[in-house]
Amino acid sequence: MFANGYKKKVGSAVLVHIILLVGAAIMIIPFIWMFLTSVKTMGESTMVPLVIIPKQLQWNNYLKVFESLPFLTFYWNTMITTLFKTVGQVMICSLAAYAFARIEFPGRNLFFLLALSVLMVPGQVFLIPQYMIMKDLGWLNSLQALIVPGLFSAFGTFLLRQFFMTLPKELEEAAKLDGCNQFRTYWQIMLPLAKPGMIALAIFVILWSWNDLMWPLIVNTSPDKMVLSAGLASLQGEHSTNYTILMAGSMMAIIPMIIIFLVFQRSFIEGIALTGSK
Amino acid sequence: MARNLFVMMLLVMMMVVTACGGSNSSNNTSEQPSNNKETETTDEKVTLTYATWGGADDKATPKVIELFNSTHPNIEVKLESTPNKQYWSKLETAAIGETLADVFWMNGPNIVKYGSNNILLPISEQIKADGLDMTKYPQSLVDLYTVNGENYGIPKDFDTPGLWYNKEMFDAAGVKYPDDTWDWNSLLEASKKLTDPAKGVWGIAATLDSQSGYYDTILQAGGYIISDDKKSSGFDKPEAINGIKFWTDLINVHKVSPTMAQMTETQGTDLFKSGKVAMLAEGSWNASDFASNENIKGKFDVAVLPKGKQRGVIIHGLGNVISAQTKHPKEAWEFVKFLGSKEVAVIYASTGTVIPAYEGTQETWVQSNPDVNLQIFIDQLKDSKPYPVSQNTSAWASLESEIFTKAWAGVITPEEAGKEMAAKMNEALEKEK
């Protein structure tokens, strides 16, 4: 009996692992392909039939990226933008979310609906009005034009509000009895409990900010105010693209994302499970 | 403590944000609305912005700007390069926001839209005043950048398509190389001999391409794409249908080209570079790309497009235009005039990517790759017709690929495709009035 049940368990574990391995392989193939293309010659990269392993690894494709673009400037701009947007959104959205979830004030629902309505409109609609605001502020061609419009998001507010709603009210009442004021309740009691929600939001913001292409291209023009995504896009020519250099640049561009993923792996999965179920 | 930390973080954030702002607004005067009228009259240094979609590949434009800046001490030109795919969205936003670059690249499909909406500065008077000789540029291109009788742009470069072929594959099949005696029939006969289904090689890639494909064959069949008054489509005329049929027959009747599905998976240029197709009708801009690819290098050459009922190729080229919103029209004109000069044309020619528009400088481009008969692209000028455009070109041109894909895949006949396209195009043209 016992042996039989054990066998069954092992059998299903093997099956689960096989399925997971296949899934993992499917996920990792694009990255491997990207790497292989980044070390091919130009001819090998578009060869039919496919050349999988290049004859000789062309490491100098990586050097060529630095020759064709001010890559480090783009890197720096992207990191600064992402950092400020992430910190800003987590802070500002959590403050707004806490207010919407817990504080009774006149017109709360109306304001919340207004914030939500932003989510209903596609981003392209804001493009020109936001551009005009940046222009009137004299911020075109600047880093703050990349950062400031991304310091707050309706999505983040919504996500965190839903999260705060699920936390037991008793905790706050206890805090109040112990003499916490509203801000301290938020800062010392609620915020630590909302950590999974905030990490989830941070992950989304980091990804969006890192990948954002259209907005930086619209507001900024000079190369020293450009971000990585725009730099990579400029490696694509009108008629032909040198995929080896494009992929070498992309490899370097995704490294921070991969590091973040490895470090926050557990929270990543929690975060996604959270946004799915709540 | 935690509260202090929070306040501190907020403060630091604000400081950094404002610091970025401070440093920026001080060194970026060109974007700020300037109340200082004096800049236009005195010898103070003027900054011009020049927007292109050259990207990382365009090595010539920075050189040209450097040359201009060093010879014009009172003007400083700054390059603003936007990736090709996003260029037009950005231009549109900038036009609405009145923050257009002073001078920028324009192409055929967009010139009428921008030229007829007071976004570009008309330059006919400046051309006359400075006695600029417009006959130095191909007539088709000067016409392309003339809207309602006003010049808006100085042609920068041009491209025409040619018939690229793989010499090795022709030798192996014992077929004579294409030359200027070829007509549609010779191309078909050669393709038949070059196709070998067992080896997976084809005579030609009949790609779904307008400028290097059916636009040209429609002209060669004696048809037109848009009427001269830009009011009606020519796609449903029997000649145009013949021009479309030429390509679809190569795929679906004679089977000498990869199928539409295969060419969607692998681009025609990649098939050609990999030695899977012996011929490819493609633009002159491929010269440097092919020459730098180790698979095809030294094995390819190019010939004029074969003639149908007559000869015909579409010519297209970029133009340099000036924004109507520029604060420095005089300096911008000075720069555009310089861009149209022979000196600049030679710089572009020597990099080998584009054929400069200025008469007599094309020789430098032809010599940039002496192993290949690039001269044919220049010789074809005499048979060239301007790129078909209307006020809102993209309204109908964007429908072409959707409708013609069905014909290339053999789902509908060329007649059906031509008629459907013409009906929708006429509808779109109707809205322009």
Side-chain angles (χ1 to χ4, degrees):
Chain A
M1 265 301 271
F2 177 76
N4 203 2
Y6 180 71
K7 226 181 231 169
K8 228 182 191 169
K9 232 180 183 172
V10 171
S12 66
V14 168
L15 187 72
V16 166
H17 276 84
I18 290 175
I19 294 173
L20 288 177
L21 278 175
V22 171
I26 293 172
M27 299 310 268
I28 208 163
I29 281 173
F31 291 99
I32 295 176
W33 190 250
M34 191 167 153
F35 171 72
L36 288 173
T37 304
S38 76
V39 288
K40 284 177 189 174
T41 62
M42 206 170 146
E44 282 169 338
S45 70
T46 54
M47 186 70 185
V48 194
L50 293 177
V51 175
I52 294 174
I53 307 288
K55 262 194 214 123
Q56 209 181 350
L57 301 184
Q58 306 290 323
W59 292 110
N60 65 340
N61 286 339
Y62 284 83
L63 283 180
K64 281 188 205 154
V65 176
F66 291 95
E67 279 164 29
S68 19
L69 294 174
F71 202 71
L72 291 177
T73 313
F74 293 168
Y75 227 116
W76 175 247
N77 291 343
T78 307
M79 293 219 284
I80 291 286
T81 311
T82 304
L83 180 74
F84 279 104
K85 269 163 109 171
T86 312
V87 173
Q89 280 211 23
V90 170
M91 284 296 157
I92 298 172
C93 292
S94 71
L95 278 168
Y98 178 69
F100 280 130
R102 284 294 194 258
I103 304 173
E104 293 284 347
F105 58 91
R108 181 176 80 161
N109 289 338
L110 180 73
F111 281 117
F112 188 60
L113 270 179
L114 272 178
L116 278 191
S117 67
V118 178
L119 279 178
M120 318 284 172
V121 189
Q124 289 87 333
V125 177
F126 309 136
L127 204 62
I128 290 175
Q130 278 194 342
Y131 177 82
M132 298 303 280
I133 295 173
M134 293 300 125
K135 183 200 157 200
D136 292 341
L137 289 171
W139 281 6
L140 292 178
N141 237 340
S142 70
L143 281 184
Q144 68 268 31
L146 299 180
I147 295 168
V148 175
L151 281 181
F152 169 80
S153 77
F155 170 79
T157 310
F158 177 67
L159 181 81
L160 293 179
R161 175 196 177 255
Q162 299 309 93
F163 198 87
F164 282 126
M165 298 282 273
T166 63
L167 298 176
K169 260 203 167 121
E170 289 79 7
L171 280 173
E172 278 168 90
E173 281 158 12
K176 212 178 248 173
L177 280 179
D178 286 343
C180 275
N181 64 18
Q182 194 111 49
F183 183 77
R184 203 161 160 206
T185 314
Y186 154 79
W187 184 251
Q188 282 193 317
I189 310 291
M190 299 303 273
L191 217 48
L193 289 171
K195 217 167 116 191
M198 294 189 352
I199 289 177
L201 175 63
I203 289 162
F204 280 118
V205 180
I206 290 172
L207 279 179
W208 285 334
S209 168
W210 203 264
N211 293 338
D212 193 14
L213 173 65
M214 204 59 201
W215 179 249
L217 279 178
I218 296 281
V219 281
N220 286 1
T221 40
S222 70
D224 56 327
K225 297 289 183 305
M226 269 299 161
V227 290
L228 273 179
S229 52
L232 293 177
S234 75
L235 286 174
Q236 286 168 280
E238 187 183 4
H239 300 297
S240 65
T241 299
N242 189 341
Y243 289 101
T244 61
I245 295 179
L246 180 63
M247 288 303 129
S250 307
M251 273 310 285
M252 291 190 279
I254 62 167
I255 286 171
M257 289 292 103
I258 291 177
I259 292 174
I260 288 179
F261 181 82
L262 290 178
V263 173
F264 295 102
Q265 210 173 29
R266 183 175 288 253
S267 331
F268 244 106
I269 293 153
E270 267 175 17
I272 294 187
L274 174 84
T275 48
S277 62
K278 287 279 148 52
Chain B
M1 185 57 212
R3 190 167 162 182
N4 286 343
L5 190 76
F6 174 73
V7 173
M8 251 173 67
M9 273 174 83
L10 267 183
L11 277 176
V12 170
M13 245 172 64
M14 281 171 178
M15 269 164 64
V16 175
V17 168
T18 43
C20 299
S23 69
N24 204 295
S25 44
S26 59
N27 59 22
N28 196 359
T29 45
S30 71
E31 295 288 345
Q32 310 286 333
S34 134
N35 297 323
N36 192 355
K37 286 276 177 211
E38 275 173 305
T39 45
E40 284 170 32
T41 47
T42 63
D43 286 344
E44 244 172 86
K45 194 153 181 159
V46 163
T47 306
L48 292 179
T49 47
Y50 183 34
T52 75
W53 62 84
D57 279 344
D58 182 11
K59 307 272 189 267
T61 305
K63 272 189 217 166
V64 168
I65 291 176
E66 210 175 296
L67 183 66
F68 182 81
N69 286 344
S70 66
T71 49
H72 296 75
N74 61 330
I75 308 175
E76 195 197 352
V77 176
K78 279 191 179 154
L79 177 65
E80 296 179 346
S81 170
T82 305
N84 178 248
K85 276 185 197 147
Q86 285 81 24
Y87 183 84
W88 300 105
S89 323
K90 185 177 169 99
L91 198 62
E92 215 158 291
T93 320
I96 296 168
E98 305 194 338
T99 53
L100 280 170
D102 299 295
V103 178
F104 52 95
W105 283 8
M106 181 49 63
N107 71 2
N110 287 291
I111 177 64
V112 187
K113 178 171 150 192
Y114 281 90
S116 57
N117 283 309
N118 298 325
I119 294 168
L120 305 182
L121 190 76
I123 50 173
S124 307
E125 269 173 37
Q126 287 91 320
I127 291 172
K128 222 181 276 164
D130 285 4
L132 201 66
D133 186 359
M134 294 303 276
T135 63
K136 293 286 183 197
Y137 312 101
Q139 188 60 41
S140 313
L141 288 183
V142 177
D143 291 349
L144 187 63
Y145 291 102
T146 305
V147 181
N148 302 329
E150 279 275 6
N151 292 86
Y152 284 94
I154 305 284
K156 171 184 171 287
D157 52 37
F158 72 85
D159 43 66
T160 56
L163 185 65
W164 301 90
Y165 60 95
N166 184 323
K167 290 192 279 189
E168 233 177 37
M169 290 173 78
F170 271 78
D171 292 341
V175 183
K176 223 178 105 241
Y177 295 159
D179 56 31
D180 57 3
T181 63
W182 272 36
D183 57 11
W184 284 8
N185 210 33
S186 348
L187 182 133
L188 176 62
E189 290 311 316
S191 297
K192 282 181 181 163
K193 286 183 205 149
L194 288 156
T195 303
D196 186 349
K199 276 199 240 160
V201 297
W202 290 272
I204 187 165
T207 53
L208 176 60
D209 196 288
S210 52
Q211 195 190 344
S212 317
Y214 54 87
Y215 280 4
D216 305 284
T217 49
I218 287 174
L219 295 183
Q220 289 154 15
Y224 61 91
I225 294 113
I226 187 166
S227 61
D228 289 339
D229 60 6
K230 314 234 185 275
K231 285 196 173 111
S232 67
S233 167
F235 278 118
D236 54 353
K237 304 287 177 292
E239 295 85 5
I241 289 165
N242 271 340
I244 297 167
K245 196 164 171 288
F246 171 78
W247 297 106
T248 56
D249 278 2
L250 289 172
I251 305 173
N252 300 318
V253 178
H254 307 296
K255 313 233 182 261
V256 294
S257 157
T259 62
M260 187 64 209
Q262 285 164 321
M263 289 186 293
T264 311
E265 250 169 49
T266 314
Q267 281 178 21
T269 44
D270 290 339
L271 288 165
F272 181 74
K273 285 189 275 190
S274 305
K276 294 285 158 193
V277 297
M279 286 182 281
L280 180 72
E282 255 296 346
S284 44
W285 57 80
N286 285 292
S288 62
D289 184 39
F290 290 167
S292 60
N293 188 302
E294 75 271 13
N295 298 328
I296 191 82
K297 199 176 181 174
K299 296 178 198 161
F300 72 94
D301 207 339
V302 65
V304 291
L305 287 184
K307 62 171 181 278
K309 223 162 93 187
Q310 62 192 47
R311 287 204 174 279
V313 289
I314 290 284
I315 181 174
H316 179 248
L318 307 184
N320 284 304
V321 297
I322 303 174
S323 159
Q325 304 156 357
T326 180
K327 292 188 197 76
H328 312 290
K330 214 179 96 215
E331 288 81 4
W333 165 246
E334 192 67 29
F335 181 52
V336 165
K337 206 169 68 174
F338 173 79
L339 291 171
S341 70
K342 190 170 177 177
E343 198 179 0
V344 167
V346 171
I347 297 177
Y348 277 103
S350 52
T351 60
T353 35
V354 291
I355 316 175
Y358 197 91
E359 189 184 86
T361 60
Q362 290 95 3
E363 193 52 34
T364 316
W365 180 77
V366 170
Q367 288 308 318
S368 70
N369 191 347
D371 302 334
V372 181
N373 189 14
L374 296 177
Q375 183 63 36
I376 63 109
F377 291 108
I378 321 297
D379 295 345
Q380 285 188 128
L381 272 180
K382 61 179 189 304
D383 310 311
S384 69
K385 289 258 169 63
Y387 193 89
V389 295
S390 71
Q391 177 117 15
N392 191 357
T393 313
S394 66
W396 50 269
S398 59
L399 304 172
E400 288 175 17
S401 77
E402 186 198 324
I403 294 169
F404 290 144
T405 302
K406 292 186 277 181
W408 259 247
V411 180
I412 58 173
T413 64
E415 265 109 341
E416 287 167 335
K419 295 221 160 102
E420 188 184 341
M421 183 59 218
K424 291 205 170 143
M425 180 169 164
N426 284 330
E427 220 173 274
L429 291 173
E430 190 65 36
K431 285 189 196 138
E432 289 182 6
K433 279 164 211 164

